[in-house]
Protein backbone atom coordinates (compact mmCIF):
# COMPACT_ATOMS: atom_id res chain seq x y z
CA UNK A 1 0.00 0.00 0.00
CA UNK A 2 1.37 3.38 -0.93
CA UNK A 3 0.92 6.62 1.01
CA UNK A 4 0.25 9.58 -1.28
CA UNK A 5 -1.17 12.84 0.04
CA UNK A 6 -3.58 14.04 -2.61
CA UNK A 7 -4.38 17.63 -1.64
CA UNK A 8 -7.58 17.76 -3.69
CA UNK A 9 -9.06 14.64 -2.09
CA UNK A 10 -7.98 15.74 1.38
CA UNK A 11 -9.99 18.91 0.77
CA UNK A 12 -12.98 16.78 -0.21
CA UNK A 13 -12.75 14.92 3.10
CA UNK A 14 -13.17 18.25 4.88
CA UNK A 15 -16.75 18.52 3.57
CA UNK A 16 -17.58 15.14 5.11
CA UNK A 17 -17.85 14.13 8.78
CA UNK A 18 -14.48 12.92 10.21
CA UNK A 19 -13.22 9.48 9.15
CA UNK A 20 -10.68 7.13 10.71
CA UNK A 21 -9.50 5.62 7.44
CA UNK A 22 -9.57 6.68 3.81
CA UNK A 23 -7.94 5.17 0.74
CA UNK A 24 -8.25 5.69 -2.99
CA UNK A 25 -8.35 2.62 -5.22
CA UNK A 26 -9.13 1.61 -8.79
CA UNK A 27 -8.11 2.63 -12.29
CA UNK A 28 -7.33 6.23 -11.34
CA UNK A 29 -4.15 4.91 -9.68
CA UNK A 30 -2.83 3.78 -13.07
CA UNK A 31 0.43 5.74 -13.64
CA UNK A 32 -0.58 6.42 -17.26
CA UNK A 33 -4.13 7.47 -16.45
CA UNK A 34 -4.71 10.88 -18.00
CA UNK A 35 -8.49 10.60 -18.18
CA UNK A 36 -9.62 13.09 -15.57
CA UNK A 37 -13.26 12.21 -16.24
CA UNK A 38 -12.86 8.78 -14.66
CA UNK A 39 -14.63 8.27 -11.37
CA UNK A 40 -12.31 8.39 -8.34
CA UNK A 41 -13.04 5.52 -5.93
CA UNK A 42 -12.67 5.95 -2.17
CA UNK A 43 -13.16 3.71 0.86
CA UNK A 44 -13.96 5.50 4.13
CA UNK A 45 -13.69 3.77 7.51
CA UNK A 46 -15.76 5.16 10.40
CA UNK A 47 -16.47 3.99 13.94
CA UNK A 48 -20.28 4.34 13.83
CA UNK A 49 -21.78 4.32 10.30
CA UNK A 50 -25.30 5.26 11.39
CA UNK A 51 -24.19 8.40 13.24
CA UNK A 52 -21.78 9.22 10.42
CA UNK A 53 -24.48 8.95 7.74
CA UNK A 54 -26.92 11.00 9.83
CA UNK A 55 -24.36 13.78 10.06
CA UNK A 56 -23.40 13.46 6.40
CA UNK A 57 -27.04 13.66 5.29
CA UNK A 58 -27.24 16.99 7.11
CA UNK A 59 -24.11 18.18 5.30
CA UNK A 60 -24.42 16.47 1.90
CA UNK A 61 -27.99 15.23 1.41
CA UNK A 62 -27.55 15.26 -2.39
CA UNK A 63 -24.97 12.43 -2.13
CA UNK A 64 -27.76 9.97 -1.20
CA UNK A 65 -30.76 8.47 -2.95
CA UNK A 66 -33.72 10.69 -2.06
CA UNK A 67 -35.95 7.78 -1.02
CA UNK A 68 -33.43 6.63 1.60
CA UNK A 69 -33.13 10.13 3.05
CA UNK A 70 -36.93 10.52 3.16
CA UNK A 71 -37.89 7.13 4.58
CA UNK A 72 -35.16 6.37 7.08
CA UNK A 73 -32.08 8.55 6.88
CA UNK A 74 -28.86 7.26 8.40
CA UNK A 75 -30.56 4.34 10.12
CA UNK A 76 -32.00 2.98 6.85
CA UNK A 77 -28.74 3.55 4.97
CA UNK A 78 -26.85 1.52 7.57
CA UNK A 79 -29.48 -1.24 7.78
CA UNK A 80 -29.47 -1.77 4.00
CA UNK A 81 -25.66 -1.92 4.00
CA UNK A 82 -25.49 -4.35 6.93
CA UNK A 83 -28.52 -6.59 6.39
CA UNK A 84 -28.58 -6.80 2.59
CA UNK A 85 -25.05 -5.85 1.59
CA UNK A 86 -21.71 -6.65 3.19
CA UNK A 87 -21.55 -3.62 5.46
CA UNK A 88 -20.50 -1.03 2.85
CA UNK A 89 -22.68 1.82 1.58
CA UNK A 90 -21.57 3.48 -1.67
CA UNK A 91 -22.42 6.98 -2.83
CA UNK A 92 -21.49 7.15 -6.55
CA UNK A 93 -21.55 10.05 -9.02
CA UNK A 94 -20.67 12.66 -6.43
CA UNK A 95 -19.41 15.77 -8.24
CA UNK A 96 -16.83 17.82 -6.42
CA UNK A 97 -14.24 20.30 -7.72
CA UNK A 98 -14.59 19.08 -11.34
CA UNK A 99 -14.08 15.46 -10.21
CA UNK A 100 -16.53 12.57 -10.23
CA UNK A 101 -16.26 10.57 -7.01
CA UNK A 102 -17.65 7.34 -5.56
CA UNK A 103 -17.11 6.70 -1.87
CA UNK A 104 -17.95 3.65 0.20
CA UNK A 105 -18.47 3.88 3.95
CA UNK A 106 -17.70 0.92 6.20
CA UNK A 107 -17.55 0.27 9.94
CA UNK A 108 -13.91 0.11 11.08
CA UNK A 109 -14.55 -3.13 12.98
CA UNK A 110 -15.93 -4.77 9.82
CA UNK A 111 -13.02 -3.51 7.73
CA UNK A 112 -10.46 -4.95 10.15
CA UNK A 113 -12.34 -8.27 10.40
CA UNK A 114 -12.31 -8.59 6.62
CA UNK A 115 -8.62 -7.71 6.38
CA UNK A 116 -7.58 -10.26 9.00
CA UNK A 117 -10.08 -13.08 8.39
CA UNK A 118 -11.60 -12.55 4.91
CA UNK A 119 -15.00 -12.54 6.56
CA UNK A 120 -16.70 -11.34 3.36
CA UNK A 121 -13.58 -11.09 1.16
CA UNK A 122 -14.95 -7.83 -0.22
CA UNK A 123 -12.81 -4.91 0.96
CA UNK A 124 -9.89 -7.21 1.79
CA UNK A 125 -9.79 -8.09 -1.91
CA UNK A 126 -9.58 -4.43 -2.85
CA UNK A 127 -6.76 -3.90 -0.36
CA UNK A 128 -4.75 -6.69 -2.02
CA UNK A 129 -4.30 -4.30 -4.94
CA UNK A 130 -2.48 -0.94 -4.88
CA UNK A 131 -4.24 1.86 -3.02
CA UNK A 132 -3.33 5.39 -1.93
CA UNK A 133 -3.91 5.92 1.78
CA UNK A 134 -5.04 9.41 2.74
CA UNK A 135 -6.11 8.83 6.38
CA UNK A 136 -5.04 5.96 8.65
CA UNK A 137 -5.72 6.64 12.32
CA UNK A 138 -5.63 2.95 13.36
CA UNK A 139 -2.63 1.83 11.25
CA UNK A 140 -4.69 -0.26 8.84
CA UNK A 141 -1.68 -0.31 6.54
CA UNK A 142 0.25 -2.40 9.07
CA UNK A 143 -2.71 -4.72 9.66
CA UNK A 144 -3.03 -5.21 5.92
CA UNK A 145 0.34 -6.98 5.82
CA UNK A 146 -1.54 -10.03 7.18
CA UNK A 147 -3.98 -9.77 4.27
CA UNK A 148 -1.11 -9.52 1.76
CA UNK A 149 0.63 -12.63 3.14
CA UNK A 150 -2.64 -14.55 2.97
CA UNK A 151 -3.08 -13.43 -0.65
CA UNK A 152 0.42 -14.66 -1.55
CA UNK A 153 -0.31 -18.04 0.06
CA UNK A 154 -3.59 -18.46 -1.83
CA UNK A 155 -2.02 -17.39 -5.13
CA UNK A 156 0.94 -19.76 -4.73
CA UNK A 157 -1.43 -22.66 -4.17
CA UNK A 158 -3.09 -21.86 -7.49
CA UNK A 159 0.15 -21.45 -9.44
CA UNK A 160 2.36 -24.15 -11.06
CA UNK A 161 5.93 -24.94 -9.91
CA UNK A 162 7.36 -22.26 -12.24
CA UNK A 163 5.86 -18.83 -13.01
CA UNK A 164 6.76 -15.16 -13.40
CA UNK A 165 6.27 -12.25 -11.04
CA UNK A 166 3.57 -10.92 -13.39
CA UNK A 167 1.80 -14.30 -13.13
CA UNK A 168 1.91 -14.06 -9.34
CA UNK A 169 0.40 -10.58 -9.14
CA UNK A 170 -2.22 -11.46 -11.75
CA UNK A 171 -3.23 -14.50 -9.68
CA UNK A 172 -3.38 -12.39 -6.50
CA UNK A 173 -5.45 -9.80 -8.33
CA UNK A 174 -7.85 -12.46 -9.63
CA UNK A 175 -8.60 -13.94 -6.19
CA UNK A 176 -11.33 -11.42 -5.37
CA UNK A 177 -12.93 -11.81 -8.81
CA UNK A 178 -13.39 -15.59 -8.61
CA UNK A 179 -17.14 -16.11 -8.51
CA UNK A 180 -17.90 -12.38 -8.85
CA UNK A 181 -21.19 -12.22 -10.74
CA UNK A 182 -20.22 -8.89 -12.34
CA UNK A 183 -17.44 -10.61 -14.28
CA UNK A 184 -20.11 -12.48 -16.27
CA UNK A 185 -21.52 -9.38 -17.96
CA UNK A 186 -20.47 -6.08 -16.39
CA UNK A 187 -16.69 -6.09 -16.06
CA UNK A 188 -13.80 -5.79 -18.48
CA UNK A 189 -12.58 -9.33 -19.27
CA UNK A 190 -8.99 -7.97 -19.44
CA UNK A 191 -9.35 -6.20 -16.09
CA UNK A 192 -6.87 -8.33 -14.13
CA UNK A 193 -3.96 -8.15 -16.55
CA UNK A 194 -4.62 -4.43 -17.15
CA UNK A 195 -4.40 -3.75 -13.42
CA UNK A 196 -1.12 -5.67 -13.06
CA UNK A 197 0.58 -4.24 -16.13
CA UNK A 198 -0.48 -0.71 -15.30
CA UNK A 199 0.60 -0.86 -11.64
CA UNK A 200 3.39 -3.43 -11.70
CA UNK A 201 5.87 -1.41 -9.63
CA UNK A 202 3.21 -0.70 -7.01
CA UNK A 203 2.51 -4.44 -6.74
CA UNK A 204 6.25 -5.06 -6.34
CA UNK A 205 6.58 -2.60 -3.47
CA UNK A 206 3.49 -4.05 -1.76
CA UNK A 207 4.48 -7.72 -1.95
CA UNK A 208 8.28 -7.63 -1.70
CA UNK A 209 8.32 -8.16 2.11
CA UNK A 210 6.06 -11.24 1.87
CA UNK A 211 8.07 -12.71 -1.01
CA UNK A 212 11.30 -12.23 0.94
CA UNK A 213 9.78 -14.10 3.89
CA UNK A 214 8.76 -17.01 1.67
CA UNK A 215 12.17 -17.01 0.03
CA UNK A 216 13.82 -17.18 3.48
CA UNK A 217 11.69 -20.23 4.28
CA UNK A 218 12.98 -21.80 1.02
CA UNK A 219 9.47 -21.98 -0.41
CA UNK A 220 10.47 -19.74 -3.34
CA UNK A 221 13.53 -19.28 -5.54
CA UNK A 222 14.09 -16.40 -7.96
CA UNK A 223 16.12 -16.74 -11.15
CA UNK A 224 16.74 -13.03 -11.82
CA UNK A 225 15.84 -10.75 -8.90
CA UNK A 226 14.52 -7.35 -9.92
CA UNK A 227 13.30 -8.34 -13.38
CA UNK A 228 9.55 -8.66 -13.93
CA UNK A 229 10.31 -11.34 -16.50
CA UNK A 230 12.24 -13.39 -13.94
CA UNK A 231 11.09 -16.92 -13.29
CA UNK A 232 9.99 -17.90 -9.80
CA UNK A 233 10.16 -21.50 -8.65
CA UNK A 234 8.12 -22.82 -5.75
CA UNK A 235 8.16 -25.99 -3.68
CA UNK A 236 4.94 -27.86 -4.43
CA UNK A 237 5.54 -30.68 -1.94
CA UNK A 238 3.06 -31.71 0.73
CA UNK A 239 4.93 -29.92 3.54
CA UNK A 240 4.99 -26.66 1.55
CA UNK A 241 1.30 -27.07 0.74
CA UNK A 242 0.48 -27.57 4.43
CA UNK A 243 2.40 -24.40 5.30
CA UNK A 244 0.58 -22.33 2.67
CA UNK A 245 -2.81 -23.64 3.81
CA UNK A 246 -1.90 -22.85 7.43
CA UNK A 247 -1.17 -19.27 6.32
CA UNK A 248 -4.69 -18.74 4.95
CA UNK A 249 -7.27 -16.79 7.03
CA UNK A 250 -9.22 -18.76 9.62
CA UNK A 251 -12.56 -18.50 7.78
CA UNK A 252 -11.04 -20.22 4.72
CA UNK A 253 -9.21 -22.84 6.82
CA UNK A 254 -12.37 -23.63 8.78
CA UNK A 255 -14.32 -24.24 5.57
CA UNK A 256 -11.51 -26.42 4.24
CA UNK A 257 -11.34 -28.31 7.54
CA UNK A 258 -15.05 -29.17 7.33
CA UNK A 259 -14.57 -30.53 3.81
CA UNK A 260 -11.19 -32.26 4.17
CA UNK A 261 -11.02 -33.06 7.86
CA UNK A 262 -8.63 -31.80 10.52
CA UNK A 263 -5.74 -33.11 12.56
CA UNK A 264 -4.40 -31.93 15.90
CA UNK A 265 -0.82 -30.81 16.31
CA UNK A 266 1.32 -29.02 18.88
CA UNK A 267 1.95 -25.33 18.27
CA UNK A 268 5.26 -23.62 18.99
CA UNK A 269 3.86 -22.36 22.31
CA UNK A 270 2.98 -25.88 23.42
CA UNK A 271 -0.75 -25.58 22.79
CA UNK A 272 -2.86 -27.86 20.60
CA UNK A 273 -4.05 -26.50 17.25
CA UNK A 274 -6.28 -27.94 14.54
CA UNK A 275 -4.80 -28.14 11.07
CA UNK A 276 -6.48 -28.93 7.76
CA UNK A 277 -5.79 -32.52 6.73
CA UNK A 278 -3.88 -32.35 3.42
CA UNK A 279 -3.76 -35.57 1.41
CA UNK A 280 -2.75 -34.01 -1.89
CA UNK A 281 -2.01 -30.54 -3.19
CA UNK A 282 -4.72 -30.76 -5.87
CA UNK A 283 -7.38 -31.68 -3.33
CA UNK A 284 -6.37 -28.76 -1.11
CA UNK A 285 -6.27 -26.30 -4.03
CA UNK A 286 -9.68 -27.37 -5.33
CA UNK A 287 -11.18 -27.04 -1.86
CA UNK A 288 -9.67 -23.58 -1.26
CA UNK A 289 -10.74 -22.38 -4.70
CA UNK A 290 -14.30 -23.54 -4.08
CA UNK A 291 -14.39 -21.81 -0.70
CA UNK A 292 -13.17 -18.51 -2.15
CA UNK A 293 -15.48 -18.73 -5.15
CA UNK A 294 -18.54 -19.22 -2.94
CA UNK A 295 -17.48 -16.42 -0.59
CA UNK A 296 -16.98 -13.95 -3.47
CA UNK A 297 -20.21 -15.00 -5.21
CA UNK A 298 -22.31 -14.40 -2.08
CA UNK A 299 -20.62 -11.11 -1.23
CA UNK A 300 -20.80 -9.71 -4.77
CA UNK A 301 -24.49 -10.68 -5.10
CA UNK A 302 -25.42 -9.16 -1.73
CA UNK A 303 -23.50 -5.97 -2.45
CA UNK A 304 -25.01 -5.66 -5.94
CA UNK A 305 -28.56 -5.78 -4.51
CA UNK A 306 -27.62 -3.39 -1.71
CA UNK A 307 -26.03 -1.02 -4.20
CA UNK A 308 -29.10 -0.94 -6.44
CA UNK A 309 -31.28 -0.03 -3.47
CA UNK A 310 -28.84 2.50 -2.07
CA UNK A 311 -28.19 4.62 -5.16
CA UNK A 312 -31.70 4.71 -6.62
CA UNK A 313 -32.94 3.70 -10.07
CA UNK A 314 -31.41 6.43 -12.26
CA UNK A 315 -27.91 6.30 -10.80
CA UNK A 316 -27.99 2.50 -10.67
CA UNK A 317 -28.92 2.29 -14.37
CA UNK A 318 -26.20 4.81 -15.26
CA UNK A 319 -23.52 2.94 -13.31
CA UNK A 320 -24.54 -0.47 -14.66
CA UNK A 321 -24.62 0.85 -18.22
CA UNK A 322 -21.10 2.26 -17.94
CA UNK A 323 -19.80 -1.06 -16.59
CA UNK A 324 -21.52 -3.08 -19.30
CA UNK A 325 -20.20 -0.81 -22.07
CA UNK A 326 -16.67 -1.30 -20.79
CA UNK A 327 -17.21 -5.06 -20.59
CA UNK A 328 -18.66 -5.28 -24.08
CA UNK A 329 -15.74 -3.29 -25.53
CA UNK A 330 -13.31 -5.79 -23.99
CA UNK A 331 -15.23 -8.76 -25.46
CA UNK A 332 -15.30 -7.35 -29.00
Amino acid sequence: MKNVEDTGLMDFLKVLPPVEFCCMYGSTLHPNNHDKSKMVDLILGVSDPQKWHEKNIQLNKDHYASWMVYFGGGKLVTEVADEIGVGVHFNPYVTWNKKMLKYGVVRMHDLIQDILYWKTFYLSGRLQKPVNILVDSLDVQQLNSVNLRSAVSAALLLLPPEFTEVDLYAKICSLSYMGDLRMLFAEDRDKVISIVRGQFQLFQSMYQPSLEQYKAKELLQFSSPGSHQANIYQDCGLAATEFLVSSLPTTVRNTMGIKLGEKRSLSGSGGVTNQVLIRSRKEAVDCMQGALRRKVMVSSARQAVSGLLAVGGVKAAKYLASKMCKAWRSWR
Side-chain angles (χ1 to χ4, degrees), residues 1 115-116 118 127-128 139-152 206-207 209-210 213-214 247:
M1 301 169 83
I115 287 173
L116 296 179
W118 293 5
L127 292 175
Q128 290 167 1
D139 205 5
V140 171
Q141 181 172 11
Q142 180 61 37
L143 284 175
N144 197 53
S145 62
V146 176
N147 182 30
L148 300 185
R149 282 195 297 273
S150 297
V152 171
M206 283 178 69
Y207 285 99
S210 295
Q213 290 178 12
Y214 282 57
S247 302

Short mmCIF file of all heavy atoms in Angstrom, two decimals, residues 1 115-116 118 127-128 139-152 206-207 209-210 213-214 247:
data_model
loop_
_atom_site.label_atom_id
_atom_site.label_comp_id
_atom_site.label_asym_id
_atom_site.label_seq_id
_atom_site.Cartn_x
_atom_site.Cartn_y
_atom_site.Cartn_z
N MET A 1 0.85 -1.18 0.00
CA MET A 1 0.00 0.00 0.00
C MET A 1 0.89 1.24 0.00
O MET A 1 1.92 1.27 0.64
CB MET A 1 -0.90 0.01 1.23
CG MET A 1 -1.80 -1.19 1.32
SD MET A 1 -2.63 -1.33 2.90
CE MET A 1 -4.01 -0.24 2.64
N ILE A 115 -10.05 -7.70 6.68
CA ILE A 115 -8.62 -7.71 6.38
C ILE A 115 -7.93 -8.91 7.02
O ILE A 115 -7.13 -9.60 6.38
CB ILE A 115 -7.96 -6.40 6.88
CG1 ILE A 115 -8.35 -5.23 5.98
CG2 ILE A 115 -6.44 -6.54 6.96
CD1 ILE A 115 -7.90 -3.89 6.49
N LEU A 116 -8.27 -9.19 8.26
CA LEU A 116 -7.58 -10.26 9.00
C LEU A 116 -8.13 -11.64 8.69
O LEU A 116 -7.36 -12.62 8.64
CB LEU A 116 -7.68 -10.00 10.50
CG LEU A 116 -7.00 -8.74 11.03
CD1 LEU A 116 -7.21 -8.62 12.54
CD2 LEU A 116 -5.51 -8.74 10.71
N TRP A 118 -10.85 -12.39 6.16
CA TRP A 118 -11.60 -12.55 4.91
C TRP A 118 -13.05 -12.94 5.20
O TRP A 118 -13.61 -13.86 4.60
CB TRP A 118 -10.94 -13.59 4.00
CG TRP A 118 -9.60 -13.18 3.46
CD1 TRP A 118 -8.90 -12.04 3.78
CD2 TRP A 118 -8.78 -13.88 2.51
NE1 TRP A 118 -7.71 -12.00 3.09
CE2 TRP A 118 -7.61 -13.12 2.32
CE3 TRP A 118 -8.94 -15.08 1.84
CZ2 TRP A 118 -6.58 -13.53 1.45
CZ3 TRP A 118 -7.93 -15.49 0.99
CH2 TRP A 118 -6.77 -14.71 0.79
N LEU A 127 -8.01 -4.30 -1.01
CA LEU A 127 -6.76 -3.90 -0.36
C LEU A 127 -5.59 -4.84 -0.69
O LEU A 127 -4.48 -4.63 -0.20
CB LEU A 127 -6.96 -3.82 1.15
CG LEU A 127 -7.89 -2.69 1.61
CD1 LEU A 127 -8.14 -2.77 3.11
CD2 LEU A 127 -7.32 -1.33 1.26
N GLN A 128 -5.84 -5.86 -1.50
CA GLN A 128 -4.75 -6.69 -2.02
C GLN A 128 -4.16 -6.09 -3.29
O GLN A 128 -3.18 -6.60 -3.83
CB GLN A 128 -5.26 -8.11 -2.30
CG GLN A 128 -5.57 -8.89 -1.03
CD GLN A 128 -6.35 -10.15 -1.28
OE1 GLN A 128 -6.67 -10.48 -2.44
NE2 GLN A 128 -6.69 -10.87 -0.23
N ASP A 139 -3.72 2.59 11.88
CA ASP A 139 -2.63 1.83 11.25
C ASP A 139 -3.14 0.60 10.51
O ASP A 139 -2.64 -0.51 10.69
CB ASP A 139 -1.58 1.43 12.29
CG ASP A 139 -0.21 1.21 11.65
OD1 ASP A 139 -0.07 1.45 10.43
OD2 ASP A 139 0.72 0.78 12.36
N VAL A 140 -4.15 0.81 9.67
CA VAL A 140 -4.69 -0.26 8.84
C VAL A 140 -3.63 -0.78 7.88
O VAL A 140 -3.60 -1.96 7.55
CB VAL A 140 -5.93 0.23 8.07
CG1 VAL A 140 -6.38 -0.80 7.02
CG2 VAL A 140 -7.07 0.51 9.04
N GLN A 141 -2.74 0.11 7.45
CA GLN A 141 -1.68 -0.31 6.54
C GLN A 141 -0.85 -1.45 7.13
O GLN A 141 -0.51 -2.41 6.44
CB GLN A 141 -0.77 0.87 6.19
CG GLN A 141 0.34 0.49 5.21
CD GLN A 141 1.12 1.70 4.74
OE1 GLN A 141 0.99 2.79 5.29
NE2 GLN A 141 1.93 1.50 3.72
N GLN A 142 -0.52 -1.35 8.42
CA GLN A 142 0.25 -2.40 9.07
C GLN A 142 -0.57 -3.68 9.18
O GLN A 142 -0.08 -4.78 8.93
CB GLN A 142 0.70 -1.93 10.46
CG GLN A 142 1.51 -2.95 11.24
CD GLN A 142 2.80 -3.34 10.53
OE1 GLN A 142 3.45 -2.51 9.90
NE2 GLN A 142 3.18 -4.61 10.62
N LEU A 143 -1.84 -3.55 9.56
CA LEU A 143 -2.71 -4.72 9.66
C LEU A 143 -2.85 -5.42 8.31
O LEU A 143 -2.95 -6.65 8.23
CB LEU A 143 -4.10 -4.30 10.14
CG LEU A 143 -4.28 -3.97 11.61
CD1 LEU A 143 -5.69 -3.45 11.87
CD2 LEU A 143 -4.01 -5.19 12.48
N ASN A 144 -2.82 -4.65 7.25
CA ASN A 144 -3.03 -5.21 5.92
C ASN A 144 -1.90 -6.13 5.48
O ASN A 144 -2.06 -6.91 4.54
CB ASN A 144 -3.23 -4.10 4.89
CG ASN A 144 -3.84 -4.60 3.60
OD1 ASN A 144 -4.89 -5.24 3.61
ND2 ASN A 144 -3.19 -4.33 2.48
N SER A 145 -0.76 -6.07 6.16
CA SER A 145 0.34 -6.98 5.82
C SER A 145 -0.09 -8.43 6.02
O SER A 145 0.37 -9.34 5.30
CB SER A 145 1.58 -6.67 6.66
OG SER A 145 1.31 -6.86 8.04
N VAL A 146 -1.00 -8.68 6.97
CA VAL A 146 -1.54 -10.03 7.18
C VAL A 146 -2.36 -10.45 5.96
O VAL A 146 -2.25 -11.58 5.46
CB VAL A 146 -2.42 -10.08 8.44
CG1 VAL A 146 -3.06 -11.45 8.61
CG2 VAL A 146 -1.61 -9.71 9.67
N ASN A 147 -3.16 -9.53 5.46
CA ASN A 147 -3.98 -9.77 4.27
C ASN A 147 -3.10 -10.06 3.04
O ASN A 147 -3.40 -10.97 2.25
CB ASN A 147 -4.84 -8.53 4.02
CG ASN A 147 -5.77 -8.66 2.82
OD1 ASN A 147 -6.22 -9.75 2.47
ND2 ASN A 147 -6.07 -7.54 2.19
N LEU A 148 -2.01 -9.33 2.91
CA LEU A 148 -1.11 -9.52 1.76
C LEU A 148 -0.43 -10.89 1.81
O LEU A 148 -0.30 -11.57 0.78
CB LEU A 148 -0.07 -8.41 1.70
CG LEU A 148 -0.61 -6.98 1.57
CD1 LEU A 148 0.54 -5.99 1.39
CD2 LEU A 148 -1.61 -6.86 0.44
N ARG A 149 0.00 -11.31 3.01
CA ARG A 149 0.63 -12.63 3.14
C ARG A 149 -0.37 -13.74 2.82
O ARG A 149 -0.04 -14.73 2.18
CB ARG A 149 1.20 -12.81 4.55
CG ARG A 149 2.52 -12.09 4.79
CD ARG A 149 3.21 -12.59 6.04
NE ARG A 149 2.44 -12.35 7.24
CZ ARG A 149 2.48 -11.22 7.95
NH1 ARG A 149 3.27 -10.23 7.56
NH2 ARG A 149 1.75 -11.08 9.03
N SER A 150 -1.60 -13.56 3.28
CA SER A 150 -2.64 -14.55 2.97
C SER A 150 -2.88 -14.62 1.46
O SER A 150 -3.06 -15.72 0.91
CB SER A 150 -3.95 -14.18 3.67
OG SER A 150 -3.81 -14.21 5.08
N ALA A 151 -2.87 -13.47 0.80
CA ALA A 151 -3.08 -13.43 -0.65
C ALA A 151 -1.96 -14.15 -1.38
O ALA A 151 -2.21 -14.88 -2.35
CB ALA A 151 -3.19 -11.98 -1.12
N VAL A 152 -0.72 -13.96 -0.93
CA VAL A 152 0.42 -14.66 -1.55
C VAL A 152 0.26 -16.17 -1.38
O VAL A 152 0.47 -16.93 -2.33
CB VAL A 152 1.75 -14.18 -0.94
CG1 VAL A 152 2.91 -15.06 -1.41
CG2 VAL A 152 2.03 -12.73 -1.32
N MET A 206 4.42 -3.50 -2.74
CA MET A 206 3.49 -4.05 -1.76
C MET A 206 3.90 -5.44 -1.30
O MET A 206 3.84 -5.76 -0.10
CB MET A 206 2.09 -4.17 -2.37
CG MET A 206 1.30 -2.89 -2.48
SD MET A 206 -0.30 -3.19 -3.26
CE MET A 206 -1.15 -4.16 -2.02
N TYR A 207 4.32 -6.28 -2.24
CA TYR A 207 4.48 -7.72 -1.95
C TYR A 207 5.93 -8.15 -1.73
O TYR A 207 6.17 -9.32 -1.38
CB TYR A 207 3.84 -8.55 -3.08
CG TYR A 207 2.34 -8.54 -2.97
CD1 TYR A 207 1.56 -7.70 -3.76
CD2 TYR A 207 1.68 -9.36 -2.05
CE1 TYR A 207 0.18 -7.68 -3.64
CE2 TYR A 207 0.31 -9.35 -1.92
CZ TYR A 207 -0.43 -8.50 -2.72
OH TYR A 207 -1.80 -8.49 -2.59
N PRO A 209 8.06 -7.59 0.78
CA PRO A 209 8.32 -8.16 2.11
C PRO A 209 7.81 -9.60 2.25
O PRO A 209 8.51 -10.46 2.82
CB PRO A 209 7.58 -7.22 3.06
CG PRO A 209 7.53 -5.92 2.32
CD PRO A 209 7.34 -6.30 0.88
N SER A 210 6.61 -9.89 1.77
CA SER A 210 6.06 -11.24 1.87
C SER A 210 6.88 -12.22 1.04
O SER A 210 7.16 -13.35 1.48
CB SER A 210 4.60 -11.26 1.39
OG SER A 210 3.79 -10.49 2.23
N GLN A 213 10.03 -13.15 2.81
CA GLN A 213 9.78 -14.10 3.89
C GLN A 213 9.66 -15.52 3.35
O GLN A 213 10.21 -16.47 3.92
CB GLN A 213 8.50 -13.73 4.64
CG GLN A 213 8.61 -12.47 5.48
CD GLN A 213 7.31 -12.12 6.17
OE1 GLN A 213 6.38 -12.91 6.20
NE2 GLN A 213 7.23 -10.92 6.72
N TYR A 214 8.94 -15.68 2.25
CA TYR A 214 8.76 -17.01 1.67
C TYR A 214 10.06 -17.53 1.07
O TYR A 214 10.32 -18.74 1.09
CB TYR A 214 7.63 -16.98 0.63
CG TYR A 214 6.26 -16.97 1.25
CD1 TYR A 214 5.89 -15.98 2.17
CD2 TYR A 214 5.33 -17.95 0.96
CE1 TYR A 214 4.65 -15.97 2.76
CE2 TYR A 214 4.07 -17.95 1.55
CZ TYR A 214 3.74 -16.96 2.45
OH TYR A 214 2.51 -16.96 3.05
N SER A 247 -1.32 -20.72 6.38
CA SER A 247 -1.17 -19.27 6.32
C SER A 247 -2.42 -18.56 5.80
O SER A 247 -2.45 -17.33 5.71
CB SER A 247 0.03 -18.91 5.41
OG SER A 247 1.21 -19.51 5.88
#
